Amino acid sequence: MSARTHPPVDVVTVGGGWTAAILASKLCPQGRTMVSLEQGASRWTYPEYAHDHDSLRYSGRYAMMVNLRQETWTWRPHPRVTALPMRQYGSFNPGQGLGGSGVHWSGQLWRFMPTDFVRRTHVTERYGAKRIPADMTLQDWGVTYDELEPYYDQFEWDIGAGGAAGNVGGRILPGGNPFEGPRSRGYPNPPLVVTPYGQMFADACTDLGLHPFTQPTGILSRGWIDPHGNARSGCLYCGFCTRFGCEVDAKSSPQNTHLPVALDTGRYEVRLGCKVTRIEVDDRGRATGLTYVDAEGREHFQPARVVVASAFTLENTRILLLSRSRAHPNGVGNDRGRVGRNYTYQIYPAPVTGVFQGRKLNMFMGNTCTIKVIYDYNGDNFDHSDLDFIGGSQLYSEPCEREPFNSVDGLTTRDGKAWGAAWKEELRRNWDSHASILTEGESNPYEDQFLDLDPNYTDRFGNPLLRIAFDWHPNEQRMWRYLAARAREIMARMNPSRIVRTMPELGRYNIHDYQSTHPTGGCVMGTDPGTSVTNTHGQVWDTPNVFVTGAALFPQNAGANPTGTIGALTYRTAQAMDDRYFDDPGELLS
Amino acid sequence: MTDDRALTRRRLLQLAGGTAVAVGLAGCGSGDRTASPEVRVSTDVDAVAWPPLPPGTPPQCNVHRFFTTAEAAVVDALVARIIPGDARDPGAREACVPAYIDDKLARFPSFATPTYFQPPFAKPVTTGPVPPDQRDAETILVDAADAHLYGFQADLTPQESWRKGIAALQAYCRRRHGRPFEHMAPARQDALLDRFQALKDASDHGAPVPTAHADLDAAFAGPSASGFFGMVLEDTYEGMFADPAYGGNKGMAGWLLIGYPGAQRAYTPDEVLTPGTDRPPQSLGQMPHMHPGMPEGDAMLPMAGTLRTGTRR
């Protein structure tokens, strides 16, 4: 091999995003050395985010996302037909560059509910095993909410999360989410303020006997000095948040939380412009390090005692599959053919959009967290005994970071047009007087819904792209029908002057509409190597010195954004590695 | 859009590189714990082309670099029906949208938005579902009934789509209406755009081409009629409603129309809670400095591909 070989380190990671930064912030102060190989560029709050609220650059041209000129993902609705590449950004927006998707994320911060972690057991016990469709590969996580709670708590207090606690130690508190699992204490900061539309939504929900609360957030609602000494500003409600870096550090990102801690040790290095191409393994099948290509096209090898796949969900799955060897002919972690299994997503569309002529809603002020949410129809918070589906979704008021160039066609005339003189008048009257109710719904795993390598399309190095097989199934379509009806009830209560559109049926998945950057699964965790790729620490069963972090570990996706759970799982992995792994390297953690 | 105060040495350097618009703002400091200690220009081969940078100088409304004079007349007529206007109540024509589209096409010989443009390209077939391995070197077959689910799959660049689409439109208008599009009466133009809309609605839902519009559909060999219409709409929206720093939205006509205050640095919690705003719109170039106390207080937009290789602090 002509690759340049670097001095060995304790840990090397694929990607320099948030989970890598968390691991480094925990392991490097304990004396471990760590290198992260990040395909993108450097970005720091100053000067790189001191930008001009440039919608076209960040929202229109995806300046912070994986460069589709170099690689993408292919998709097909099911395995019996061909896949085509997502040639331009649509369904999801994985980030690249220092901090990964943790820079351009929306800031919506959740804990999954206790029942989410024991999904199969819970559904079986409450409704009977027959309620789970035969091809739905629902499973328990192997870790419970109570086990994760201390890590959720640490993550929230380290980043200065904002919200109103709904359940502290089993006591239900007013103003919070009454359906959340018990927390050991409240949030370090209050929630953000809510825009007029969010308040209208909350009032309608209260009238209907539902339980609205303000979106919990990873965006600071006030100035904050975190436990590591990072001093950060409160939110400016500027309206340029998702897909943008925050110029005042109000939105939590690796750069203003865990990265400074890790880099200050002198034992952590993020090597930028470096694309990892494979995990190398020895004859016994143990990982020896990562091969990567730098910005000048030169090949390198970084040896390490531990390899962590800490990139985005899809790339973590892909790098395991690409790493074929004599010891692991189907890729690392894939000796039993379980890599790629249980790929899930998030049900996101808007079931109903209304016009409130004469009322200004401030849809361009704030962010995705200046809103109200209900959990009454999420998870198993409502009785499914007489319903024809399992699962649920949040319903929430549309986020408030509207940018006109990519949203004007969301307001159409009565005959469905987004052009012409009548449309212009509609825009003049109602551009800031229309809004939607949105969903953030569960996505269940199925046998014909998985990730593998594409036979037809490659990246710039000739390596196969990752291929996604995914579509909505009858359970989710029935769930949508029920939720959309609930959303229409809430909208009706808000007394709109006109309904712009409704979406009573979910229909089929498509890859071209942006939905959410919440692809999950593919390297799922569990307690049974027959139905999982890793144990509950993200440690790969068949290659125990390889770990996976992030949402690729989720056995199925809950009705909430993944970042809080990704953070908590990573804290738990970091602690297990720090406490036990290096004492007995290469052994499976219990 | 530019502000003379911002013309520092660094800004001039940026402009020399063909990029840049100034930034800045007051206050709200990020401490130096999260400041970049070292920034170097990337040698990444894609740094020049991606991501795109805003133009330093807005183009003139009546200057065209990509379109021919004849093509420009069609674009002008098209956008004037998408967002009609006059001198008192500007529409897309008055807001320099045709020049915006021309500038975008001239700047990006390929795609302005990041695009995976490798073969094989898809060829829809009407014989039902196609098993995964049906392909040759150039094309890959896909069930026409599913084609709408896969999003953009064309093998044409925007330059090609605009040029060929305009030619197809003009040929159709001459044949069917006896005159080019720009010489048709506005009501006739709108009626024709309604037919494009019907084709787009069908295409978006994977429905068959409506019989009444089959001749219009057949007149477009590449791009498709619905693809062409969708591109015209999207580029018109960008030109009318994106920041005027990009050369369209002249006089912030688009933002004044809809009541959008543009690139504001901040709103107070009270403003968020109170419906409506009376702030006049402003372009990103008019924003106050971001870090006036910092040595580079008038920091630029992040440069494409800036790369920091030695990351130890």
Short mmCIF file of all heavy atoms in Angstrom, two decimals, chain A residues 41 44 46 50 52 54 58 61 69-70 85 87 247 249 270 272 296 362 418-420 424 428 456-458 508, chain B residues 22-23 34 36 43 46 50 82 84 89 111 116 120 135 146 153 197 237 246 265 274 276 302 306 308 311:
data_model
loop_
_atom_site.label_atom_id
_atom_site.label_comp_id
_atom_site.label_asym_id
_atom_site.label_seq_id
_atom_site.Cartn_x
_atom_site.Cartn_y
_atom_site.Cartn_z
N ALA A 41 -14.96 21.18 5.36
CA ALA A 41 -14.03 22.23 5.73
C ALA A 41 -14.22 22.67 7.17
O ALA A 41 -15.14 22.23 7.86
CB ALA A 41 -14.24 23.43 4.79
N TRP A 44 -16.11 27.93 12.04
CA TRP A 44 -16.23 28.35 13.43
C TRP A 44 -17.17 29.53 13.51
O TRP A 44 -17.41 30.21 12.51
CB TRP A 44 -14.85 28.72 14.00
CG TRP A 44 -14.01 27.51 14.24
CD1 TRP A 44 -13.18 26.92 13.33
CD2 TRP A 44 -13.94 26.72 15.43
NE1 TRP A 44 -12.60 25.80 13.89
CE2 TRP A 44 -13.04 25.66 15.17
CE3 TRP A 44 -14.55 26.81 16.68
CZ2 TRP A 44 -12.74 24.70 16.13
CZ3 TRP A 44 -14.25 25.86 17.63
CH2 TRP A 44 -13.35 24.80 17.36
N TYR A 46 -16.85 32.41 14.71
CA TYR A 46 -16.17 33.59 14.19
C TYR A 46 -14.93 33.13 13.45
O TYR A 46 -14.15 32.37 14.03
CB TYR A 46 -15.77 34.53 15.35
CG TYR A 46 -14.88 35.64 14.88
CD1 TYR A 46 -15.43 36.76 14.27
CD2 TYR A 46 -13.50 35.54 14.98
CE1 TYR A 46 -14.62 37.76 13.79
CE2 TYR A 46 -12.69 36.54 14.51
CZ TYR A 46 -13.25 37.64 13.92
OH TYR A 46 -12.44 38.63 13.44
N ALA A 50 -20.26 34.56 10.65
CA ALA A 50 -20.62 35.98 10.71
C ALA A 50 -21.17 36.41 9.35
O ALA A 50 -20.76 37.39 8.78
CB ALA A 50 -19.40 36.80 11.10
N ASP A 52 -24.26 36.88 6.25
CA ASP A 52 -25.25 37.90 6.01
C ASP A 52 -26.67 37.38 5.91
O ASP A 52 -27.47 37.95 5.20
CB ASP A 52 -24.89 38.62 4.72
CG ASP A 52 -24.12 39.89 5.00
OD1 ASP A 52 -23.95 40.23 6.17
OD2 ASP A 52 -23.73 40.54 4.06
N ASP A 54 -27.83 34.85 4.42
CA ASP A 54 -27.88 34.69 2.97
C ASP A 54 -28.72 33.46 2.62
O ASP A 54 -28.22 32.35 2.50
CB ASP A 54 -26.44 34.55 2.46
CG ASP A 54 -26.36 34.56 0.96
OD1 ASP A 54 -27.39 34.33 0.31
OD2 ASP A 54 -25.27 34.80 0.44
N TYR A 58 -27.44 29.51 1.66
CA TYR A 58 -27.54 28.44 2.64
C TYR A 58 -28.78 27.56 2.42
O TYR A 58 -28.68 26.34 2.51
CB TYR A 58 -27.52 29.01 4.06
CG TYR A 58 -26.15 29.54 4.39
CD1 TYR A 58 -25.85 30.89 4.28
CD2 TYR A 58 -25.12 28.67 4.74
CE1 TYR A 58 -24.57 31.36 4.53
CE2 TYR A 58 -23.85 29.13 4.99
CZ TYR A 58 -23.58 30.48 4.89
OH TYR A 58 -22.31 30.94 5.12
N ARG A 61 -28.72 26.89 -1.98
CA ARG A 61 -27.57 26.20 -2.59
C ARG A 61 -26.93 25.21 -1.62
O ARG A 61 -25.88 24.67 -1.91
CB ARG A 61 -26.54 27.22 -3.06
CG ARG A 61 -27.08 28.31 -3.95
CD ARG A 61 -27.45 27.83 -5.35
NE ARG A 61 -27.94 28.94 -6.15
CZ ARG A 61 -29.20 29.11 -6.52
NH1 ARG A 61 -30.10 28.19 -6.19
NH2 ARG A 61 -29.58 30.16 -7.21
N ARG A 69 -22.29 17.17 -5.78
CA ARG A 69 -21.49 17.03 -7.00
C ARG A 69 -20.55 15.83 -6.90
O ARG A 69 -20.11 15.30 -7.90
CB ARG A 69 -20.68 18.29 -7.27
CG ARG A 69 -21.53 19.48 -7.67
CD ARG A 69 -20.68 20.64 -8.16
NE ARG A 69 -21.52 21.64 -8.80
CZ ARG A 69 -22.04 22.68 -8.15
NH1 ARG A 69 -21.78 22.84 -6.87
NH2 ARG A 69 -22.79 23.53 -8.77
N GLN A 70 -20.25 15.45 -5.68
CA GLN A 70 -19.28 14.37 -5.49
C GLN A 70 -19.94 13.04 -5.14
O GLN A 70 -19.42 11.99 -5.48
CB GLN A 70 -18.30 14.76 -4.38
CG GLN A 70 -17.48 15.97 -4.76
CD GLN A 70 -16.49 16.37 -3.70
OE1 GLN A 70 -16.62 15.99 -2.55
NE2 GLN A 70 -15.49 17.14 -4.10
N PRO A 85 -30.43 7.93 -8.37
CA PRO A 85 -29.79 8.83 -7.39
C PRO A 85 -30.66 10.04 -7.06
O PRO A 85 -31.43 10.51 -7.90
CB PRO A 85 -28.52 9.28 -8.12
CG PRO A 85 -28.79 9.07 -9.57
CD PRO A 85 -29.77 7.94 -9.67
N ARG A 87 -30.50 13.33 -7.25
CA ARG A 87 -29.53 14.17 -7.98
C ARG A 87 -29.45 15.58 -7.42
O ARG A 87 -28.42 16.23 -7.52
CB ARG A 87 -29.89 14.20 -9.47
CG ARG A 87 -29.72 12.83 -10.16
CD ARG A 87 -29.88 12.94 -11.67
NE ARG A 87 -29.70 11.65 -12.31
CZ ARG A 87 -28.52 11.12 -12.64
NH1 ARG A 87 -27.41 11.79 -12.38
NH2 ARG A 87 -28.44 9.94 -13.23
N GLU A 247 -24.51 32.88 14.32
CA GLU A 247 -23.39 33.81 14.46
C GLU A 247 -23.17 34.29 15.88
O GLU A 247 -22.18 34.94 16.16
CB GLU A 247 -23.57 35.00 13.52
CG GLU A 247 -24.74 35.91 13.85
CD GLU A 247 -26.00 35.57 13.08
OE1 GLU A 247 -26.31 34.36 12.97
OE2 GLU A 247 -26.67 36.49 12.61
N ASP A 249 -23.67 32.03 18.61
CA ASP A 249 -23.53 30.83 19.46
C ASP A 249 -24.78 30.51 20.28
O ASP A 249 -24.72 29.75 21.24
CB ASP A 249 -22.35 30.97 20.44
CG ASP A 249 -21.02 30.67 19.79
OD1 ASP A 249 -21.01 29.82 18.88
OD2 ASP A 249 -20.02 31.27 20.21
N VAL A 270 -8.86 17.24 14.48
CA VAL A 270 -9.81 17.01 13.39
C VAL A 270 -9.06 17.29 12.10
O VAL A 270 -8.59 18.41 11.88
CB VAL A 270 -11.05 17.93 13.49
CG1 VAL A 270 -12.06 17.55 12.40
CG2 VAL A 270 -11.69 17.82 14.86
N LEU A 272 -9.19 17.86 8.35
CA LEU A 272 -10.27 18.30 7.46
C LEU A 272 -9.97 18.02 5.99
O LEU A 272 -8.82 17.85 5.60
CB LEU A 272 -10.54 19.78 7.68
CG LEU A 272 -11.08 20.04 9.09
CD1 LEU A 272 -10.59 21.37 9.62
CD2 LEU A 272 -12.59 19.96 9.11
N GLU A 296 -5.92 16.76 -1.45
CA GLU A 296 -5.08 16.74 -2.65
C GLU A 296 -5.15 15.40 -3.37
O GLU A 296 -4.43 15.17 -4.33
CB GLU A 296 -3.62 17.06 -2.30
CG GLU A 296 -3.36 18.54 -2.05
CD GLU A 296 -3.80 18.99 -0.66
OE1 GLU A 296 -3.66 18.18 0.28
OE2 GLU A 296 -4.31 20.11 -0.53
N ASN A 362 -46.06 36.64 11.95
CA ASN A 362 -44.61 36.71 12.19
C ASN A 362 -43.90 35.39 11.85
O ASN A 362 -43.04 34.92 12.60
CB ASN A 362 -44.32 37.06 13.66
CG ASN A 362 -44.79 38.46 14.03
OD1 ASN A 362 -45.35 39.16 13.19
ND2 ASN A 362 -44.57 38.85 15.27
N ALA A 418 -49.71 29.05 -8.38
CA ALA A 418 -48.71 29.88 -7.71
C ALA A 418 -48.06 30.79 -8.76
O ALA A 418 -46.85 30.91 -8.85
CB ALA A 418 -47.67 29.03 -7.00
N TRP A 419 -48.90 31.40 -9.58
CA TRP A 419 -48.43 32.39 -10.55
C TRP A 419 -49.65 33.18 -11.02
O TRP A 419 -50.79 32.73 -10.82
CB TRP A 419 -47.72 31.74 -11.74
CG TRP A 419 -48.54 30.73 -12.50
CD1 TRP A 419 -48.67 29.41 -12.21
CD2 TRP A 419 -49.39 30.98 -13.64
NE1 TRP A 419 -49.54 28.82 -13.10
CE2 TRP A 419 -49.97 29.75 -13.99
CE3 TRP A 419 -49.68 32.12 -14.40
CZ2 TRP A 419 -50.85 29.63 -15.07
CZ3 TRP A 419 -50.56 32.01 -15.48
CH2 TRP A 419 -51.13 30.75 -15.81
N GLY A 420 -49.41 34.31 -11.63
CA GLY A 420 -50.51 35.10 -12.19
C GLY A 420 -50.97 36.23 -11.28
O GLY A 420 -50.56 36.34 -10.12
N LYS A 424 -50.56 36.94 -7.19
CA LYS A 424 -49.83 38.10 -6.68
C LYS A 424 -50.65 38.82 -5.60
O LYS A 424 -50.12 39.21 -4.55
CB LYS A 424 -49.50 39.06 -7.83
CG LYS A 424 -48.60 40.21 -7.42
CD LYS A 424 -48.39 41.17 -8.59
CE LYS A 424 -47.49 42.33 -8.20
NZ LYS A 424 -47.51 43.40 -9.23
N ARG A 428 -49.78 39.32 -1.63
CA ARG A 428 -49.79 40.66 -1.02
C ARG A 428 -50.60 40.64 0.28
O ARG A 428 -50.20 41.20 1.28
CB ARG A 428 -50.39 41.67 -2.01
CG ARG A 428 -50.16 43.12 -1.61
CD ARG A 428 -51.04 44.10 -2.39
NE ARG A 428 -51.13 43.89 -3.81
CZ ARG A 428 -50.28 44.39 -4.73
NH1 ARG A 428 -49.26 45.12 -4.36
NH2 ARG A 428 -50.46 44.16 -6.01
N ASN A 456 -25.15 0.52 -9.59
CA ASN A 456 -25.04 1.34 -10.81
C ASN A 456 -24.34 2.68 -10.63
O ASN A 456 -23.84 3.24 -11.60
CB ASN A 456 -26.44 1.62 -11.36
CG ASN A 456 -27.15 0.37 -11.78
OD1 ASN A 456 -26.56 -0.51 -12.41
ND2 ASN A 456 -28.42 0.23 -11.39
N TYR A 457 -24.33 3.22 -9.42
CA TYR A 457 -23.84 4.58 -9.24
C TYR A 457 -22.71 4.61 -8.20
O TYR A 457 -22.76 3.88 -7.20
CB TYR A 457 -24.97 5.51 -8.80
CG TYR A 457 -26.05 5.65 -9.83
CD1 TYR A 457 -27.20 4.85 -9.78
CD2 TYR A 457 -25.94 6.57 -10.87
CE1 TYR A 457 -28.20 4.96 -10.73
CE2 TYR A 457 -26.93 6.69 -11.82
CZ TYR A 457 -28.06 5.89 -11.75
OH TYR A 457 -29.04 6.02 -12.70
N THR A 458 -21.72 5.47 -8.46
CA THR A 458 -20.55 5.53 -7.58
C THR A 458 -20.22 6.98 -7.19
O THR A 458 -20.73 7.92 -7.79
CB THR A 458 -19.30 4.95 -8.28
OG1 THR A 458 -19.03 5.74 -9.44
CG2 THR A 458 -19.51 3.50 -8.67
N ARG A 508 -47.64 7.86 -1.11
CA ARG A 508 -46.34 7.20 -1.19
C ARG A 508 -45.23 8.17 -0.82
O ARG A 508 -45.34 9.37 -0.99
CB ARG A 508 -46.13 6.67 -2.61
CG ARG A 508 -47.15 5.62 -3.01
CD ARG A 508 -46.91 5.12 -4.40
NE ARG A 508 -45.67 4.34 -4.48
CZ ARG A 508 -45.16 3.88 -5.63
NH1 ARG A 508 -45.76 4.14 -6.77
NH2 ARG A 508 -44.05 3.18 -5.62
N ALA B 22 -20.20 42.10 1.94
CA ALA B 22 -19.72 42.32 3.30
C ALA B 22 -20.75 41.93 4.36
O ALA B 22 -21.91 41.80 4.09
CB ALA B 22 -19.37 43.78 3.47
N VAL B 23 -20.26 41.79 5.56
CA VAL B 23 -21.09 41.37 6.66
C VAL B 23 -20.81 42.20 7.87
O VAL B 23 -19.93 42.98 7.90
CB VAL B 23 -20.69 40.00 7.09
CG1 VAL B 23 -21.36 39.67 8.35
CG2 VAL B 23 -20.99 39.02 6.05
N THR B 34 -14.67 30.20 20.64
CA THR B 34 -15.23 29.57 19.47
C THR B 34 -14.80 30.30 18.20
O THR B 34 -15.45 30.22 17.18
CB THR B 34 -16.76 29.51 19.56
OG1 THR B 34 -17.24 30.83 19.81
CG2 THR B 34 -17.21 28.58 20.66
N SER B 36 -12.23 30.97 15.07
CA SER B 36 -11.32 30.18 14.26
C SER B 36 -9.90 30.67 14.45
O SER B 36 -9.59 31.81 14.15
CB SER B 36 -11.71 30.31 12.80
OG SER B 36 -10.74 29.69 12.00
N THR B 43 -7.39 23.97 -1.04
CA THR B 43 -6.94 23.53 -2.36
C THR B 43 -7.91 22.48 -2.90
O THR B 43 -7.65 21.84 -3.89
CB THR B 43 -5.54 22.91 -2.27
OG1 THR B 43 -5.54 21.97 -1.21
CG2 THR B 43 -4.50 23.97 -2.00
N ASP B 46 -13.08 21.44 -5.63
CA ASP B 46 -14.42 21.96 -5.82
C ASP B 46 -14.64 23.33 -5.18
O ASP B 46 -15.72 23.89 -5.27
CB ASP B 46 -15.45 20.99 -5.24
CG ASP B 46 -15.80 19.94 -6.25
OD1 ASP B 46 -16.62 20.21 -7.13
OD2 ASP B 46 -15.19 18.86 -6.19
N TRP B 50 -18.05 25.36 -5.78
CA TRP B 50 -19.07 25.01 -4.79
C TRP B 50 -18.63 25.43 -3.42
O TRP B 50 -17.50 25.17 -3.05
CB TRP B 50 -19.29 23.50 -4.81
CG TRP B 50 -20.37 23.11 -3.87
CD1 TRP B 50 -21.69 23.09 -4.11
CD2 TRP B 50 -20.19 22.69 -2.51
NE1 TRP B 50 -22.37 22.69 -2.99
CE2 TRP B 50 -21.47 22.44 -2.00
CE3 TRP B 50 -19.08 22.53 -1.67
CZ2 TRP B 50 -21.68 22.02 -0.68
CZ3 TRP B 50 -19.28 22.11 -0.37
CH2 TRP B 50 -20.58 21.85 0.11
N ILE B 82 -45.93 35.36 -14.94
CA ILE B 82 -45.83 34.65 -13.65
C ILE B 82 -46.13 35.63 -12.51
O ILE B 82 -46.90 35.33 -11.60
CB ILE B 82 -44.42 34.03 -13.46
CG1 ILE B 82 -44.04 33.13 -14.64
CG2 ILE B 82 -44.33 33.26 -12.14
CD1 ILE B 82 -44.91 31.94 -14.88
N PRO B 84 -47.21 39.41 -12.76
CA PRO B 84 -47.47 40.60 -13.58
C PRO B 84 -47.24 41.88 -12.77
O PRO B 84 -47.34 41.87 -11.54
CB PRO B 84 -48.94 40.45 -13.96
CG PRO B 84 -49.38 39.10 -13.50
CD PRO B 84 -48.43 38.67 -12.44
N ASP B 89 -46.73 49.17 -9.55
CA ASP B 89 -46.85 47.95 -8.74
C ASP B 89 -45.99 46.86 -9.40
O ASP B 89 -46.48 46.02 -10.14
CB ASP B 89 -48.33 47.52 -8.70
CG ASP B 89 -48.54 46.25 -7.89
OD1 ASP B 89 -47.65 45.90 -7.07
OD2 ASP B 89 -49.57 45.59 -8.10
N PHE B 111 -24.71 23.48 -12.92
CA PHE B 111 -25.84 23.76 -12.03
C PHE B 111 -25.43 24.73 -10.93
O PHE B 111 -24.34 24.62 -10.37
CB PHE B 111 -26.33 22.46 -11.36
CG PHE B 111 -26.96 21.50 -12.32
CD1 PHE B 111 -26.18 20.61 -13.05
CD2 PHE B 111 -28.33 21.48 -12.49
CE1 PHE B 111 -26.76 19.73 -13.93
CE2 PHE B 111 -28.92 20.59 -13.37
CZ PHE B 111 -28.13 19.72 -14.10
N TYR B 116 -25.78 15.89 -8.54
CA TYR B 116 -25.09 14.66 -8.97
C TYR B 116 -25.48 14.43 -10.42
O TYR B 116 -26.65 14.19 -10.72
CB TYR B 116 -25.53 13.51 -8.07
CG TYR B 116 -24.86 12.18 -8.37
CD1 TYR B 116 -23.60 11.87 -7.84
CD2 TYR B 116 -25.48 11.23 -9.17
CE1 TYR B 116 -22.99 10.66 -8.10
CE2 TYR B 116 -24.87 10.02 -9.44
CZ TYR B 116 -23.63 9.74 -8.90
OH TYR B 116 -23.03 8.53 -9.16
N PRO B 120 -25.69 6.33 -15.25
CA PRO B 120 -26.74 6.36 -16.28
C PRO B 120 -27.93 7.24 -15.88
O PRO B 120 -28.25 7.34 -14.71
CB PRO B 120 -27.16 4.89 -16.38
CG PRO B 120 -26.81 4.30 -15.05
CD PRO B 120 -25.60 5.01 -14.58
N ARG B 135 -30.54 -2.17 -17.42
CA ARG B 135 -29.83 -0.95 -17.79
C ARG B 135 -28.82 -1.24 -18.88
O ARG B 135 -28.46 -2.38 -19.14
CB ARG B 135 -29.08 -0.37 -16.59
CG ARG B 135 -28.01 -1.29 -16.04
CD ARG B 135 -26.98 -0.54 -15.24
NE ARG B 135 -26.17 0.32 -16.10
CZ ARG B 135 -25.06 0.91 -15.70
NH1 ARG B 135 -24.65 0.79 -14.44
NH2 ARG B 135 -24.34 1.64 -16.52
N ASP B 146 -43.88 5.55 -11.71
CA ASP B 146 -43.14 5.90 -10.50
C ASP B 146 -42.19 7.08 -10.71
O ASP B 146 -41.59 7.58 -9.75
CB ASP B 146 -42.29 4.72 -10.03
CG ASP B 146 -43.12 3.64 -9.34
OD1 ASP B 146 -44.33 3.86 -9.14
OD2 ASP B 146 -42.56 2.58 -9.02
N GLN B 153 -34.28 14.10 -12.62
CA GLN B 153 -33.49 13.04 -13.23
C GLN B 153 -33.07 13.40 -14.65
O GLN B 153 -32.60 12.54 -15.40
CB GLN B 153 -34.28 11.72 -13.25
CG GLN B 153 -34.58 11.14 -11.88
CD GLN B 153 -33.34 10.67 -11.13
OE1 GLN B 153 -32.30 10.39 -11.74
NE2 GLN B 153 -33.41 10.61 -9.80
N GLN B 197 -49.56 24.33 -16.62
CA GLN B 197 -49.87 24.00 -15.23
C GLN B 197 -50.58 22.64 -15.15
O GLN B 197 -50.29 21.82 -14.28
CB GLN B 197 -50.76 25.08 -14.62
CG GLN B 197 -51.18 24.82 -13.18
CD GLN B 197 -50.08 25.13 -12.17
OE1 GLN B 197 -49.53 26.22 -12.16
NE2 GLN B 197 -49.74 24.15 -11.34
N TYR B 237 -39.30 32.76 -9.00
CA TYR B 237 -39.40 32.98 -7.54
C TYR B 237 -38.07 33.46 -6.98
O TYR B 237 -38.02 34.39 -6.17
CB TYR B 237 -39.79 31.68 -6.81
CG TYR B 237 -41.11 31.06 -7.19
CD1 TYR B 237 -41.31 29.70 -7.02
CD2 TYR B 237 -42.16 31.82 -7.70
CE1 TYR B 237 -42.52 29.09 -7.35
CE2 TYR B 237 -43.36 31.23 -8.04
CZ TYR B 237 -43.54 29.86 -7.87
OH TYR B 237 -44.73 29.27 -8.20
N TYR B 246 -28.28 39.48 -5.17
CA TYR B 246 -28.08 38.54 -6.28
C TYR B 246 -28.53 39.11 -7.62
O TYR B 246 -28.51 38.42 -8.63
CB TYR B 246 -28.80 37.23 -5.99
CG TYR B 246 -28.08 36.38 -4.97
CD1 TYR B 246 -28.38 36.47 -3.62
CD2 TYR B 246 -27.07 35.51 -5.37
CE1 TYR B 246 -27.71 35.70 -2.69
CE2 TYR B 246 -26.39 34.73 -4.45
CZ TYR B 246 -26.72 34.83 -3.10
OH TYR B 246 -26.05 34.07 -2.18
N ARG B 265 -30.83 41.48 11.51
CA ARG B 265 -29.91 40.77 12.39
C ARG B 265 -30.64 40.15 13.58
O ARG B 265 -30.26 39.09 14.07
CB ARG B 265 -28.82 41.74 12.87
CG ARG B 265 -27.74 41.11 13.71
CD ARG B 265 -26.94 40.04 12.96
NE ARG B 265 -25.95 40.63 12.08
CZ ARG B 265 -25.20 39.91 11.25
NH1 ARG B 265 -25.35 38.59 11.18
NH2 ARG B 265 -24.32 40.49 10.47
N THR B 274 -45.56 40.28 19.17
CA THR B 274 -46.53 41.25 18.68
C THR B 274 -46.76 41.04 17.18
O THR B 274 -45.81 41.13 16.40
CB THR B 274 -46.00 42.68 18.91
OG1 THR B 274 -45.58 42.79 20.28
CG2 THR B 274 -47.06 43.71 18.61
N GLY B 276 -47.07 41.32 13.36
CA GLY B 276 -46.70 42.30 12.35
C GLY B 276 -45.43 43.06 12.69
O GLY B 276 -44.98 43.06 13.84
N PRO B 302 -18.53 33.44 4.65
CA PRO B 302 -17.57 32.34 4.68
C PRO B 302 -17.18 31.98 3.26
O PRO B 302 -18.02 31.83 2.39
CB PRO B 302 -18.36 31.21 5.35
CG PRO B 302 -19.78 31.62 5.27
CD PRO B 302 -19.81 33.09 5.23
N THR B 306 -13.05 27.00 2.69
CA THR B 306 -11.95 27.38 3.57
C THR B 306 -11.59 26.16 4.41
O THR B 306 -12.45 25.45 4.89
CB THR B 306 -12.35 28.53 4.52
OG1 THR B 306 -13.60 28.22 5.09
CG2 THR B 306 -12.41 29.84 3.78
N ARG B 308 -9.03 24.32 7.29
CA ARG B 308 -8.08 24.50 8.37
C ARG B 308 -7.49 23.13 8.61
O ARG B 308 -8.15 22.23 9.07
CB ARG B 308 -8.84 25.01 9.59
CG ARG B 308 -7.99 25.42 10.72
CD ARG B 308 -8.84 26.29 11.64
NE ARG B 308 -8.49 26.01 13.01
CZ ARG B 308 -9.12 25.15 13.77
NH1 ARG B 308 -10.14 24.46 13.30
NH2 ARG B 308 -8.73 24.98 15.02
N THR B 311 -5.50 21.37 13.19
CA THR B 311 -6.65 21.74 14.00
C THR B 311 -6.34 21.81 15.48
O THR B 311 -7.22 22.10 16.26
CB THR B 311 -7.79 20.75 13.78
OG1 THR B 311 -7.27 19.45 13.97
CG2 THR B 311 -8.34 20.89 12.40
#
